Amino acid sequence: MTLTARHRTRPLAALGMLLPLALIAACSSGEPAAEASSSAPAAEETANEPSEASSRTPRLAVTYDGGIQVLDAQTLEVLEDFELDGFNRLNGAGDGRHLLVSTTGGFQVLDGGAWAEPHGDHSHYYTADPELTDVMFDAEKPGHAVVHAGRTALFDDGTGEITVFDSGDVADESREVRELATPEAHHGVAVELSDGTLVVSEGTEDARTGIRVLDAEGAEIAASDECPGVHGEAVAADEAVLIGCEDGVLVYKDGEITKVASPDAYGRIGNQAGSEEHTVVLGDYKSDPDAELERPTRVSLTDTATGELTLVDLPASYTFRSLARGDAGEALVLGTDGQIHVIDPATKQLVRSIPVIDAWEEPEEWQSPRPAIFMLDGSAYVTDPANRAIHAVDVETGEVWNTVELDVEPNEINGISGDVEAGSAEHDEAGHSEEEHAEEGHEHSEGEGHDHSEEGHDHEHADEETTPAG
């Protein structure tokens, strides 16, 4: 199979019994720590006056020691620099506009300042200054934030509390939320599916053992304790959910949980990168249970349709921030040799490697800056802490089409599409009046649908048992 990109948007240039989950409230109002700015992008409701743009304006965010910078994804120009003490992490919010910052006190909402409003057969695009808002989802230890099907699920490792909400309401203080809690706090994860089914990890502070699956009303429909060391998640095609274990993975699909064992007695898969259009999930792979820092050179490919797990050898090691997926489903691994290694998930073969940065070595501490990869609009953005730089790479052609030096040492990276996504605010909430529709010459029939792009989930997770490994 030859991989081809479907589209390009860049202009040329373990133990123990399972305990019941405590349902706190099936549906209640969220209570942010401070007054929230509305997710609707009308000018009077934002902190600064928005401008209409001719096309969408994707943006990036990078953390550094002491703050976060927001960059234009095309020019890599720094648009805003926010001071924020502590070790901060970045998570997608799911609406194409906001990010969630795992920081002291919880998940803080970062407005990327670019969004789209669906309008019949097209969209209108807007930009404004990025803003680190006062909206906060309180958490003792903010952990995983998982986006799927227009819903965002947050997990508090310090309490075991889970908060799920419509992604488009992330900055809206009047949002409705679904709240639950696990029997004991642990470094966990939750994923909500389109029918309200919730896949949630099971464990304690000392050991994570498996998963439970609840229906929309909170009743258990499936469970497994065959997953020592639960860590990380990915959603593949047909809403198959993959959860990493120290001896393989668990796959939940169509009401059933299946264990896919590693070929080694200890074969830890703790970080995954999935694509909701493909059945194969990319994962890391570690086989030395005694290593403090293994520096693995094999990755795993798990087919959620067949239950097949394949290991692929690489010419270099990699870290937990090295995994991503291309627009055509390519499995991408940023190696310590400075290259992006491209694997065809169909043939399970390494098909090419793209040189990007100098060779580097994984630091001893997982919080320390190291090169990271993030996919957005057909391009792979690679951070280069050693040279205080960021590089934009066209995965299809292998061209490094932009490089910019920064005045900070980048650590984490994430971004927003600035486009309509599954979790974007609905058209009726976007601030268009019928008069505006008429002036633009668009006829809208009752109940007209709007296209929403599917959002892929490339999650970066730390291997450490401590938090906030998101």
Side-chain angles (χ1 to χ4, degrees):
M1 170 183 172
T2 301
L3 289 168
T4 57
R6 289 175 287 102
H7 63 277
R8 291 175 63 196
T9 56
R10 176 179 69 81
L12 292 175
L15 301 175
M17 299 179 62
L18 292 172
L19 300 174
L21 269 173
L23 180 63
I24 294 179
C27 190
S28 64
S29 294
E31 298 181 356
E35 183 177 351
S37 58
S38 171
S39 62
E44 67 272 16
E45 296 178 359
T46 54
N48 54 79
E49 190 75 16
S51 300
E52 187 159 6
S54 60
S55 61
R56 57 194 175 92
T57 309
R59 290 177 170 176
L60 301 168
V62 295
T63 65
Y64 63 91
D65 185 12
I68 302 170
Q69 291 188 341
V70 178
L71 291 70
D72 183 284
Q74 292 295 320
T75 65
L76 301 184
E77 172 192 2
V78 176
L79 303 176
E80 291 288 348
D81 190 328
F82 303 106
E83 293 184 2
L84 190 64
D85 292 335
F87 177 69
N88 304 302
R89 313 204 69 198
L90 297 171
N91 313 278
D95 66 343
R97 174 175 179 173
H98 297 89
L99 294 173
L100 289 162
V101 183
S102 299
T103 189
T104 303
F107 299 89
Q108 188 169 357
V109 177
L110 172 63
D111 186 344
W115 65 92
E117 296 177 6
H119 192 167
D121 59 355
H122 67 283
S123 294
H124 291 260
Y125 303 100
Y126 298 89
T127 63
D129 294 336
E131 178 187 6
L132 184 58
T133 74
D134 292 330
V135 182
M136 178 81 80
F137 293 84
D138 293 339
E140 287 187 11
K141 296 180 180 179
H144 286 248
V146 181
V147 174
H148 174 68
R151 299 276 284 174
T152 303
L154 309 180
F155 197 99
D156 182 349
D157 292 348
T159 64
E161 293 179 359
I162 300 162
T163 304
V164 191
F165 55 91
D166 287 344
S167 303
D169 294 336
V170 63
D172 186 350
E173 64 179 337
S174 63
R175 75 180 77 83
E176 294 292 311
V177 300
R178 178 186 185 187
E179 296 180 327
L180 305 94
T182 57
E184 295 191 53
H186 62 281
H187 177 49
V189 65
V191 185
E192 188 181 86
L193 302 181
S194 58
D195 63 356
T197 297
L198 189 74
V199 181
V200 60
S201 59
E202 187 82 7
T204 68
E205 186 177 348
D206 299 322
R208 303 186 298 277
T209 55
I211 63 171
R212 312 192 75 194
V213 184
L214 310 178
D215 64 17
E217 286 70 46
E220 181 180 311
I221 55 178
S224 172
D225 61 357
E226 298 180 357
C227 191
V230 170
H231 190 276
E233 91 300 322
V235 181
D238 303 316
E239 289 201 307
V241 179
L242 182 147
I243 302 291
C245 316
E246 290 179 350
D247 58 359
V249 298
L250 294 181
V251 178
Y252 173 75
K253 181 182 177 183
D254 298 331
E256 296 184 355
I257 300 172
T258 303
K259 177 64 178 282
V260 180
S262 296
D264 300 288
Y266 179 89
R268 185 179 189 272
I269 299 173
N271 305 281
Q272 300 88 43
S275 166
E276 298 198 9
E277 296 180 356
H278 299 85
T279 62
V280 176
V281 174
L282 168 67
D284 60 3
Y285 191 79
K286 295 183 176 181
S287 56
D288 184 354
D290 300 319
E292 291 186 11
L293 190 62
E294 184 172 338
R295 296 191 170 101
T297 57
R298 293 183 293 176
V299 292
S300 60
L301 296 175
T302 304
D303 193 325
T304 58
T306 65
E308 176 187 12
L309 191 156
T310 304
L311 300 181
V312 179
D313 290 309
L314 297 174
S317 63
Y318 60 93
T319 78
F320 67 93
R321 292 193 185 130
S322 293
L323 308 181
R325 299 299 291 269
D327 283 359
E330 310 99 317
L332 309 176
V333 185
L334 176 62
T336 55
D337 58 358
Q339 302 189 77
I340 298 175
H341 301 289
V342 184
I343 301 169
D344 186 331
T347 64
K348 314 296 190 296
Q349 298 294 316
L350 175 64
V351 293
R352 57 195 172 96
S353 298
I354 306 171
V356 183
I357 60 176
D358 298 333
W360 52 283
E361 185 175 89
E362 178 181 1
E364 294 289 334
E365 299 295 330
W366 72 266
Q367 297 98 332
S368 298
R370 82 277 310 281
I373 183 172
F374 175 72
M375 279 296 302
L376 183 63
D377 289 346
S379 290
Y381 293 89
V382 176
T383 60
D384 187 355
N387 295 300
R388 294 195 167 202
I390 186 170
H391 311 271
V393 184
D394 187 313
V395 173
E396 183 181 0
T397 66
E399 173 197 3
V400 180
W401 58 269
N402 199 3
T403 293
V404 168
E405 291 186 6
L406 304 172
D407 59 1
V408 298
E409 184 181 28
N411 198 338
E412 294 234 341
I413 182 171
N414 212 304
I416 61 166
S417 66
D419 204 356
V420 177
E421 297 186 2
S424 300
E426 291 296 328
H427 174 242
D428 289 343
E429 300 173 354
H432 280 296
S433 67
E434 290 302 319
E435 290 77 9
E436 288 173 324
H437 292 169
E439 286 175 6
E440 291 183 346
H442 302 296
E443 295 181 358
H444 297 270
S445 62
E446 182 133 4
E448 179 181 6
H450 304 287
D451 292 333
H452 295 263
S453 62
E454 268 191 30
E455 177 177 67
H457 304 283
D458 291 339
H459 299 287
E460 298 167 346
H461 309 294
D463 286 348
E464 304 301 318
E465 304 305 315
T466 55
T467 290

